[in-house]
Amino acid sequence: MPTTGQAARPRSWAPADVGRMQLRGVAQVALSASPWTGLLFTVALFAGGWRIGVYGLLGVAASTVAAFVLGADRDGLANGLEGYCGCLTSIAIVVRLGASWRTALLAVLAAAVCAVLGAAVGHLLGRIGLPALTAPFCLVAGVLAPALPTAPAAAAPPLPGDGATTLSASELGHAFCDNFGQVFFLDKWYAGLILLVGLLVASWGAAVAAACGSLAAILTACAMGLPAERISEGLYGYNAVLVAIALAATFLTRTPWTAGYTALAAVASVPFTAAWQAFAQPSGGSPFTWPFVVTTWLFLAAVPALDRPGLSFEKAK
Amino acid sequence: MPTTGQAARPRSWAPADVGRMQLRGVAQVALSASPWTGLLFTVALFAGGWRIGVYGLLGVAASTVAAFVLGADRDGLANGLEGYCGCLTSIAIVVRLGASWRTALLAVLAAAVCAVLGAAVGHLLGRIGLPALTAPFCLVAGVLAPALPTAPAAAAPPLPGDGATTLSASELGHAFCDNFGQVFFLDKWYAGLILLVGLLVASWGAAVAAACGSLAAILTACAMGLPAERISEGLYGYNAVLVAIALAATFLTRTPWTAGYTALAAVASVPFTAAWQAFAQPSGGSPFTWPFVVTTWLFLAAVPALDRPGLSFEKAK
Amino acid sequence: MPTTGQAARPRSWAPADVGRMQLRGVAQVALSASPWTGLLFTVALFAGGWRIGVYGLLGVAASTVAAFVLGADRDGLANGLEGYCGCLTSIAIVVRLGASWRTALLAVLAAAVCAVLGAAVGHLLGRIGLPALTAPFCLVAGVLAPALPTAPAAAAPPLPGDGATTLSASELGHAFCDNFGQVFFLDKWYAGLILLVGLLVASWGAAVAAACGSLAAILTACAMGLPAERISEGLYGYNAVLVAIALAATFLTRTPWTAGYTALAAVASVPFTAAWQAFAQPSGGSPFTWPFVVTTWLFLAAVPALDRPGLSFEKAK
């Protein structure tokens, strides 16, 4: 993932530096390297529940330490690039298993594996010019989900209906906010709102892109006739939010063409998410952020093959 | 996919040129760039039902226009390489949902996504010397299938029996023709026969290869003891038909070694198709042409590693 | 896969050479090129049942002959690299279907496909510096499993419990040995022990690594609360055994860092195996050695991206 302009090579391991690295690890979930964004994201995690906050920070720390011990790239470490997958993995584990010493041990081990997979995925994808995104988290969480004890009752998610779905104003508001919150497994609307403010602190463009992605996802899900309850829980839109941040505000230049291209990608991520839920749920799995990762990879890989002025990478590779 | 000898760069956008591009888009499903083949294929689509014909042409048009707007390669456009995945995707959608304005909108959007994925897959696979084949269609259709409302009753397909299957002469004839028809989701034997004639117009070699592939698939399915009803519907053989066209008549030189190699690939595609059906059906999916795509990729990727005189690519890469 | 020091290019096709090639094909399942290891492995196969022994040898022969006919690399042939996937595939088939002429024909065809896929996977992965491992076997066996008639009752494997699992001494002993045996689908403890002796003949380091991998897997499975019965059948540990041989005794230099890194990989392979079982079982599938293959690929791909003295490839690439 890209870093902000400031070249953040740690000169010392002073507590302030370590704290900044920790907060950046949380912020990198939304492809930002700003510690202030990380601080607001952490507040949102604690707003979702103290366990989520504690485990999120634990995951960042465990993954970053493991990457440090294994000799990962120092610049990446300082920018939090070794922390965000551990953060999400640790939260996914505590949400499923509840807090306990056994859960904490598992979260630390899983975060350490995230550090290894981050290096592997980065190395393999670096050759073809694609970013790792949250793929290490998706791999680890995807493996753990069906292997853990308290699997949810393996009911297939409800199928979409024949007509379009209508949302009440309250459902619409919840859906808009929870599309942010579900990135971190949060289901409280105010937690999602704090995440949006965190994005705004990092970059005006990222916040606008994310908000548009959230709206596009709600429109698409309603047009597909997906159930209102699940739409308002944000279950179909968190991938579109991330897709919009990645394409429109991070990897591609900001032009009207990019905006349209991103809108197509955000729309496409909704049936992708619904399909992955239908596929993974029977064995106790979840799509996690795979739809975001795969959609972004494919839409980024297409750019060099398209000769469209106005559709290009932010910086030449 | 390869193009025929004629370098078809569009000099103008005259209606005749656009029509040729449209027909080539249909023909490229079977790796041909002949507009006459495309015309016969289109006749076969309408023989299968007017909705299939209309949506097939709509898909080609939508995907080609999207690729044009996004700046895809002009030679590929003129040769129909930007149309065939949109064609198949659009047919897959109308077969599942029935014709309506909502279906048409979905088909257009899905075809546009096909254009993006075509660029992405072509870019990623071009590095390792493999063709995109129908992978963009399989990706889009594979995502839409479990996400769409009217999923079929999720019954697992019948398992093969212990002994070999015997077919009546009528079942054998239907199986032979429907192995062609199912490439386009057609289940009428005469539609399959028109497709075979279309292949013959494009290339004598492609038609012979496809016919042999169809027979090899029937033999394999019978030897495996798969149910006669499904064999005669062409559900196990359409991938073998495409594998035979791709390997024996498109990418590899025509030698006896290639013929034997292709036969092994066509035979292997049958259990692959049966397995993918068993795997995908419970979540409302289908193998689509994934078995063709993956088998062809693997058998093509093996060629450079094998030092067998008589087994080589049609033209050096 | 790497070869032992002796450059074994076949000068003649004398019976002794052919026999050695055959035994090496069996030994390469555990990444060894020693014919003595192959001899002991073959004894273990016959200890597991004469059918397993006969089909194992048949698979090695069929796959090696197919690779020879197709012009595969002569050094690889002589070192058994074209035999091990055919061996495992053939055993997987006979275990599922029982011995018969039809089974033998299927085993020969499947082994021939293994030879093609071995070339394809080797070619594709060679570019990124990764070994093929048992991926061709996993592909072929993974396709055949849901396509074959006598699928097991599609019961999902039992989920792990909430607490840790305690094993009796007898269960512990069985688990330790069967973790070796299950590499070859063997469920007799003495067959596993013979395999361990075979490893010891090839390399002291490989045997120690494998034994530690087996113990690490048992500990992990117990800590996860997986059912004692399945642990003692070796169903969770055979991938860890192979991961340990591949990482600690084959591809990486032997250092304390490698030992720790391998331990993390072996531990990670256990939930991976349990998850893949939960995922594949409903459609009649099995993880086969996919968890070993994928874990080893990812942990090998991470090494070049990590700047850790003491963690490096055995020989520079």
Side-chain angles (χ1 to χ4, degrees):
Chain A
M1 294 198 187
T3 63
T4 60
Q6 58 201 105
R9 184 184 293 272
R11 274 147 307 179
S12 70
W13 296 97
D17 285 337
V18 169
R20 233 188 324 265
M21 212 188 304
Q22 180 80 3
L23 293 177
R24 280 186 172 128
V26 184
Q28 284 288 2
V29 171
L31 298 102
S32 156
S34 153
W36 296 107
T37 301
L39 187 62
L40 278 157
F41 281 15
T42 308
V43 170
L45 293 185
F46 278 96
W50 67 266
R51 286 179 191 82
I52 293 179
V54 169
Y55 272 79
L57 293 176
L58 174 70
V60 174
S63 178
T64 306
V65 167
F68 174 74
V69 169
L70 287 168
D73 178 57
R74 286 296 174 265
D75 278 358
L77 267 179
N79 278 309
L81 292 178
E82 300 294 344
Y84 67 98
C85 285
C87 174
L88 289 173
T89 305
S90 183
I91 294 174
I93 290 171
V94 75
V95 164
R96 178 78 169 272
L97 294 181
S100 77
W101 286 111
R102 217 167 147 226
T103 306
L105 177 65
L106 177 60
V108 168
L109 275 174
V113 173
C114 274
V116 175
L117 299 198
V121 174
H123 179 65
L124 293 175
L125 290 176
R127 299 161 173 265
I128 51 175
L130 293 177
L133 302 175
T134 52
F137 151 64
C138 292
L139 282 168
V140 173
V143 161
L144 283 177
L148 289 181
T150 47
L159 288 169
D162 273 326
T165 307
T166 343
L167 296 181
S168 69
S170 149
E171 284 173 330
L172 181 64
H174 274 90
F176 180 79
C177 294
D178 281 2
N179 282 346
F180 294 90
Q182 286 291 349
V183 169
F184 286 99
F185 302 90
L186 304 173
D187 51 6
K188 301 206 170 69
W189 65 267
Y190 45 87
L193 218 54
I194 303 173
L195 291 174
L196 179 54
V197 174
L199 273 179
L200 205 57
V201 167
S203 144
W204 176 87
V208 170
C212 293
S214 178
L215 289 175
I218 294 171
L219 270 174
T220 310
C222 287
M224 285 176 66
L226 291 162
E229 194 200 354
R230 287 171 74 92
I231 296 177
S232 70
E233 285 172 8
L235 291 174
Y236 300 119
Y238 63 97
N239 286 294
V241 165
L242 290 172
V243 163
I245 296 174
L247 291 180
T250 310
F251 295 110
L252 302 181
T253 48
R254 287 186 208 167
T255 67
W257 282 100
T258 295
Y261 193 68
T262 303
L264 185 64
V267 166
S269 76
V270 176
F272 201 0
T273 306
W276 209 307
Q277 284 174 4
F279 174 77
Q281 213 126 321
S283 54
S286 154
F288 298 107
T289 47
W290 272 129
F292 150 60
V293 171
V294 176
T295 305
T296 306
W297 280 345
L298 289 171
F299 275 71
L300 284 179
V303 169
L306 298 171
D307 188 24
R308 174 76 253 164
L311 193 63
S312 59
F313 288 109
E314 182 69 23
K315 43 181 180 182
K317 306 214 168 194
Chain B
M1 293 195 189
T3 62
T4 60
Q6 59 202 105
R9 185 184 291 269
R11 272 146 308 177
S12 70
W13 296 96
D17 285 338
V18 170
R20 234 188 324 265
M21 213 189 303
Q22 180 81 3
L23 294 177
R24 280 185 171 129
V26 184
Q28 284 289 2
V29 171
L31 299 103
S32 156
S34 154
W36 296 107
T37 300
L39 187 63
L40 279 158
F41 281 15
T42 307
V43 171
L45 294 186
F46 278 96
W50 69 266
R51 287 178 191 82
I52 293 179
V54 169
Y55 271 78
L57 293 176
L58 174 70
V60 174
S63 178
T64 306
V65 167
F68 174 73
V69 168
L70 287 168
D73 178 57
R74 287 295 175 266
D75 280 359
L77 267 179
N79 278 308
L81 292 178
E82 299 294 344
Y84 65 98
C85 284
C87 175
L88 290 174
T89 304
S90 184
I91 295 174
I93 289 171
V94 75
V95 164
R96 178 78 169 273
L97 293 181
S100 78
W101 285 111
R102 218 167 145 225
T103 305
L105 177 66
L106 176 59
V108 168
L109 274 175
V113 173
C114 275
V116 175
L117 299 199
V121 174
H123 179 65
L124 293 175
L125 290 177
R127 299 162 172 264
I128 51 174
L130 292 178
L133 303 175
T134 53
F137 150 65
C138 292
L139 282 168
V140 173
V143 161
L144 284 177
L148 290 181
T150 47
L159 288 169
D162 273 327
T165 307
T166 342
L167 296 181
S168 70
S170 149
E171 284 173 330
L172 181 65
H174 273 91
F176 179 78
C177 294
D178 281 2
N179 283 346
F180 294 89
Q182 286 290 350
V183 169
F184 286 98
F185 302 89
L186 305 173
D187 53 6
K188 300 206 170 65
W189 65 268
Y190 47 86
L193 217 55
I194 302 173
L195 291 174
L196 179 53
V197 175
L199 272 179
L200 205 58
V201 167
S203 144
W204 175 86
V208 170
C212 292
S214 178
L215 289 175
I218 295 171
L219 269 175
T220 310
C222 287
M224 284 176 67
L226 291 162
E229 194 199 353
R230 287 171 74 91
I231 296 177
S232 71
E233 285 171 8
L235 291 174
Y236 299 119
Y238 63 99
N239 286 295
V241 165
L242 289 172
V243 163
I245 296 174
L247 291 180
T250 309
F251 295 110
L252 302 181
T253 49
R254 287 187 207 167
T255 66
W257 281 100
T258 295
Y261 193 67
T262 304
L264 185 64
V267 165
S269 76
V270 176
F272 201 178
T273 306
W276 208 306
Q277 284 173 4
F279 174 77
Q281 213 126 321
S283 54
S286 153
F288 298 108
T289 47
W290 271 128
F292 150 61
V293 172
V294 177
T295 305
T296 305
W297 280 344
L298 289 171
F299 274 73
L300 285 179
V303 168
L306 298 172
D307 187 26
R308 173 76 254 164
L311 194 63
S312 59
F313 287 109
E314 182 69 22
K315 44 181 178 181
K317 307 214 165 196
Chain C
M1 291 196 189
T3 61
T4 60
Q6 57 202 106
R9 184 185 292 270
R11 271 146 309 178
S12 70
W13 296 96
D17 285 336
V18 170
R20 230 185 331 261
M21 213 189 303
Q22 180 81 4
L23 293 177
R24 280 185 171 129
V26 184
Q28 284 289 2
V29 171
L31 297 103
S32 155
S34 154
W36 296 108
T37 300
L39 187 61
L40 279 157
F41 280 14
T42 308
V43 170
L45 292 185
F46 278 97
W50 68 266
R51 286 179 192 81
I52 293 179
V54 168
Y55 272 78
L57 293 176
L58 174 71
V60 174
S63 179
T64 306
V65 167
F68 174 74
V69 168
L70 287 168
D73 178 58
R74 288 295 175 265
D75 280 357
L77 267 178
N79 278 308
L81 291 179
E82 299 295 343
Y84 66 98
C85 284
C87 174
L88 289 174
T89 304
S90 184
I91 294 174
I93 290 171
V94 75
V95 164
R96 178 78 169 273
L97 293 181
S100 77
W101 285 111
R102 217 167 147 225
T103 306
L105 177 66
L106 176 60
V108 167
L109 275 174
V113 173
C114 275
V116 174
L117 298 198
V121 174
H123 179 65
L124 293 174
L125 291 177
R127 297 161 173 266
I128 50 174
L130 292 178
L133 302 175
T134 52
F137 151 65
C138 292
L139 282 168
V140 173
V143 161
L144 284 177
L148 290 181
T150 46
L159 288 169
D162 273 325
T165 307
T166 342
L167 296 182
S168 69
S170 149
E171 284 172 329
L172 181 65
H174 273 91
F176 179 79
C177 294
D178 281 1
N179 282 347
F180 294 90
Q182 286 290 350
V183 170
F184 287 98
F185 302 89
L186 303 174
D187 52 7
K188 301 205 170 69
W189 64 270
Y190 46 85
L193 218 55
I194 303 173
L195 291 174
L196 178 54
V197 175
L199 273 179
L200 205 57
V201 167
S203 143
W204 176 86
V208 170
C212 293
S214 177
L215 289 175
I218 295 170
L219 270 175
T220 311
C222 286
M224 286 176 65
L226 291 162
E229 193 199 354
R230 287 171 73 92
I231 296 177
S232 71
E233 285 172 7
L235 291 175
Y236 299 118
Y238 63 98
N239 286 296
V241 164
L242 290 172
V243 164
I245 296 174
L247 290 181
T250 309
F251 295 110
L252 301 180
T253 48
R254 287 186 208 168
T255 66
W257 282 100
T258 296
Y261 193 69
T262 303
L264 185 64
V267 165
S269 76
V270 175
F272 201 178
T273 305
W276 208 305
Q277 284 173 3
F279 174 77
Q281 213 126 322
S283 54
S286 155
F288 298 108
T289 47
W290 273 128
F292 150 60
V293 171
V294 177
T295 305
T296 305
W297 279 345
L298 289 171
F299 274 73
L300 285 179
V303 169
L306 298 171
D307 187 26
R308 174 75 254 164
L311 194 63
S312 60
F313 287 110
E314 182 68 23
K315 43 182 179 181
K317 303 214 167 195

